[in-house]
Amino acid sequence: MPDVKTPMEPFRIKVVEPIALTTRKEREELLKGAGLNIFRIPADKVMIDLLTDSGTSAMSDNQWAGMMLGDESYAGCRNFFNFEASVKDIFGFAHVIPTHQGRAAERILFETLVRKGDYVPNNIHFDTTRANIEVRGGRAVDLAGRAAYEPDTPHPFKGDMDVAKLKAFIEAKGKARIPLVMMTVTNNSGGGQPVSMKNIREASQVCRRLGIPFFFDACRFAENAYFIKKREKGYAGKSILEIAQEMFSYADGATMSAKKDALVNIGGFVTLDDDTLAEKLKNALILGEGFPTYGGLAGRDLEAVARGLREGLDERYLEHRTAQIAYLGALLEAGGVPFVKPTGGHAIYVLADRFLPHIPRHHYPAWALTIALYREAAVRAVEIGGVMFARKEPRTGKEIFPELELVRLAVPRRVYTASHLAYVAESLVELLANRDKVRGLRIVRESPFLRHFTARFEEI
Ligand code: F0G
């Protein structure tokens, strides 16, 4: 039997927000109006929203108190210095440049470093890093190990990069064409799986030997550090802060979307050591985001990040956070729902093609599952499969599907309790029992890029 223990929330609830109740009939109507696309459903018609863990965190009383101390001066507001101090204490780099969210940090970094024809290796790029590289004519290359694509392999660090491949890739392309190497922690596009300290150290050594800058995409660094503490030899006695500091000591800089592990609703930054590069990034920032002491954020937002970054390192919180995901996983396992193993840091990734074996890939089983889950249970999840990632063969227009056909159940931080998650698990188990009724889909309208946000479907 799977080990199902209730993960107790290490906080009590001071402010509540009612959740909407809808009838099945109402949801059927809403789906029809939305062209069977859950991105087009109003959020207040969703009972449990697992679309993303980004920007959806509940802030603490300490963070809300900090927001009242917002200093909204254009230049040099006090909250910037608190923000800078938090980032420096954890990351240890000389320069801290705030941005309104992660992709803005990526944009100024890649705009400055990437030229047409360059390559940027990563374990697996998130869509926005990929897009920000490709829009400049660069090529985003994924070099995760094989285990990242094997949903049943119980590897403790499936986010790891294949360092031998990285070395061979750099030798083949030449270091002049590789302006930086990135490492995404945890590896969101590969199941939210962590990267080991050993792998970080080895990838860093390859880059340092050749003088190639090594940067983190650090959105979920605290969850990654927690997994290192629990799973990697030699780290059990270290604090999360010490582990994070060691991770970043191997790098030259990082971009971060604070909307994840900094427990805020908006914010991000780039942090790095190189003075010349920092100067260029600040100039790019002034053009698109704002003066370097606010970078597209209000003073109160900077304060919330300053406090949230420190709260995100709290071990009791991280223990609960990862236990919550494991708890949802154990309930699904007990009910026979197939998903990527082991459970990662922020989400469960359901294997939709196994869940709905009667729906072929070209009828989008993962998308069909998100529709069924909303229709039957008012739960919103996100498809990470054929609709989001299929590439079209240029000559024939035939779709080439990604290796995995997934539905991600991303759990917002400090928002839902164990009973909410039990409801999600029960809904999926019930859906599994009635899966024959779920129908595949065809696309009736789509845009030429990022089609998942706007496409419309009909059931077959
Ligand atoms: N890098 C990773 C690994 C991410 O997961 C995200 C966002 C970003 C960068 C971009 O950050 O949204 O602040 O601009 N991921 C969200 C998600 C949207 O749902 O996984 P952003």
Side-chain angles (χ1 to χ4, degrees):
M1 262 303 277
D3 191 18
V4 181
K5 290 200 189 82
T6 313
M8 194 187 78
E9 290 75 24
F11 48 81
R12 53 183 183 173
I13 295 163
K14 180 142 57 182
V15 177
V16 296
E17 180 184 0
I19 41 186
L21 297 180
T22 47
T23 62
R24 190 181 184 286
K25 189 163 166 282
E26 220 179 313
R27 292 193 296 276
E28 190 68 67
E29 286 302 308
L30 285 160
L31 280 171
K32 206 182 288 167
L36 300 176
N37 185 333
I38 44 91
F39 283 104
R40 299 166 56 89
I41 302 283
D44 65 4
K45 301 292 180 197
V46 175
M47 188 161 72
I48 297 188
D49 202 345
L50 308 183
L51 190 65
T52 180
D53 66 318
S54 179
T56 51
S57 300
M59 292 207 295
S60 64
D61 50 359
N62 173 51
Q63 284 174 294
W64 280 108
M67 288 194 75
M68 289 306 288
L69 303 175
D71 165 1
E72 306 306 341
S73 309
Y74 190 90
C77 73
R78 63 175 164 260
N79 314 105
F80 170 74
F81 299 106
N82 296 342
F83 175 91
E84 184 183 49
S86 286
V87 177
K88 281 191 176 173
D89 284 352
I90 299 165
F91 289 71
F93 301 111
H95 303 279
V96 178
I97 302 171
T99 58
H100 81 276
Q101 64 183 78
R103 67 198 70 181
E106 293 155 16
R107 184 173 56 75
I108 60 170
L109 182 66
F110 296 139
E111 199 170 86
T112 309
L113 283 182
V114 178
R115 299 283 161 266
K116 195 165 187 290
D118 284 350
Y119 296 91
V120 181
N122 201 327
N123 42 355
I124 301 186
H125 287 275
F126 181 68
D127 346 359
T128 58
T129 66
R130 174 178 301 284
N132 269 297
I133 291 163
E134 290 179 348
V135 77
R136 319 206 53 75
R139 280 165 283 187
V141 184
D142 294 339
L143 296 177
R146 211 30 241 163
Y149 302 96
E150 296 168 351
D152 306 304
T153 307
H155 190 294
F157 291 104
K158 281 172 123 170
D160 280 0
M161 192 182 282
D162 184 333
V163 175
K165 243 192 199 167
L166 173 68
K167 204 157 161 270
F169 185 84
I170 298 173
E171 280 162 11
K173 302 297 176 192
K175 69 171 223 184
R177 289 264 70 155
I178 303 176
L180 78 163
V181 170
M182 288 203 95
M183 182 76 101
T184 304
V185 290
T186 57
N187 183 17
N188 182 21
S189 307
Q193 300 288 329
V195 178
S196 65
M197 192 72 87
K198 178 169 179 287
N199 190 253
I200 291 168
R201 200 183 300 122
E202 289 173 358
S204 160
Q205 276 167 2
V206 169
C207 295
R208 292 221 159 137
R209 225 175 286 132
L210 295 164
I212 299 175
F214 180 59
F215 272 66
F216 277 99
D217 177 343
C219 302
R220 300 175 180 87
F221 77 94
E223 289 167 8
N224 199 91
Y226 184 78
F227 282 119
I228 288 176
K229 182 176 171 106
K230 291 288 148 181
R231 295 181 183 173
E232 192 162 349
K233 204 165 153 246
Y235 290 93
K238 295 218 153 96
S239 71
I240 301 300
L241 176 61
E242 286 168 328
I243 296 171
Q245 286 167 335
E246 184 182 336
M247 285 164 59
F248 296 124
S249 75
Y250 299 120
D252 302 292
T255 58
M256 176 157 174
S257 165
K259 297 169 74 172
K260 285 82 168 171
D261 275 359
L263 297 163
V264 290
N265 307 118
I266 196 74
F269 56 87
V270 192
T271 178
L272 72 165
D273 271 337
D274 184 329
D275 298 337
T276 318
L277 180 57
E279 200 59 42
K280 288 183 188 161
L281 295 183
K282 282 183 196 169
N283 289 333
L285 186 83
I286 291 170
L287 264 182
E289 287 278 295
F291 189 73
T293 60
Y294 75 85
L297 293 167
R300 54 180 172 269
D301 298 326
L302 291 165
E303 189 61 36
V305 177
R307 295 177 183 219
L309 269 174
R310 296 186 196 275
E311 287 179 19
L313 297 173
D314 176 54
E315 204 164 309
R316 268 186 68 210
Y317 151 73
L318 285 167
E319 184 185 335
H320 165 255
R321 169 91 182 131
T322 45
Q324 243 193 342
I325 310 296
Y327 170 72
L328 177 55
L331 294 174
L332 293 173
E333 174 78 358
V337 175
F339 60 92
V340 175
K341 313 256 176 64
T343 51
H346 67 291
I348 294 283
Y349 293 69
V350 178
L351 297 161
D353 48 345
R354 292 193 202 168
F355 194 108
L356 300 171
H358 59 290
I359 302 180
R361 289 294 295 273
H362 63 278
H363 291 160
Y364 312 115
W367 197 276
L369 184 54
T370 64
I371 298 303
L373 191 58
Y374 177 70
R375 178 185 281 139
E376 302 304 331
V379 173
R380 179 157 68 171
V382 72
E383 187 248 27
I384 304 186
V387 178
M388 192 181 271
F389 284 131
R391 289 183 181 264
K392 285 197 182 149
E393 160 123 14
R395 223 166 19 85
T396 59
K398 190 171 159 350
E399 291 185 319
I400 302 155
F401 293 105
E403 282 195 56
L404 299 177
E405 178 74 9
L406 304 170
V407 169
R408 185 184 72 170
L409 308 167
V411 181
R413 293 167 182 77
R414 305 192 294 205
V415 170
Y416 293 119
T417 63
S419 56
H420 289 119
L421 298 182
Y423 170 81
V424 172
E426 284 163 21
S427 305
L428 270 159
V429 171
E430 199 171 307
L431 207 55
L432 186 67
N434 296 299
R435 62 178 168 187
D436 296 348
K437 296 198 192 99
V438 180
R439 288 187 285 161
L441 303 156
R442 80 169 66 87
I443 295 179
V444 289
R445 217 159 98 190
E446 65 181 300
S447 59
F449 54 89
L450 296 175
R451 63 177 179 174
H452 53 282
F453 289 128
T454 52
R456 307 207 178 196
F457 299 80
E458 66 186 20
E459 277 173 327
I460 290 163

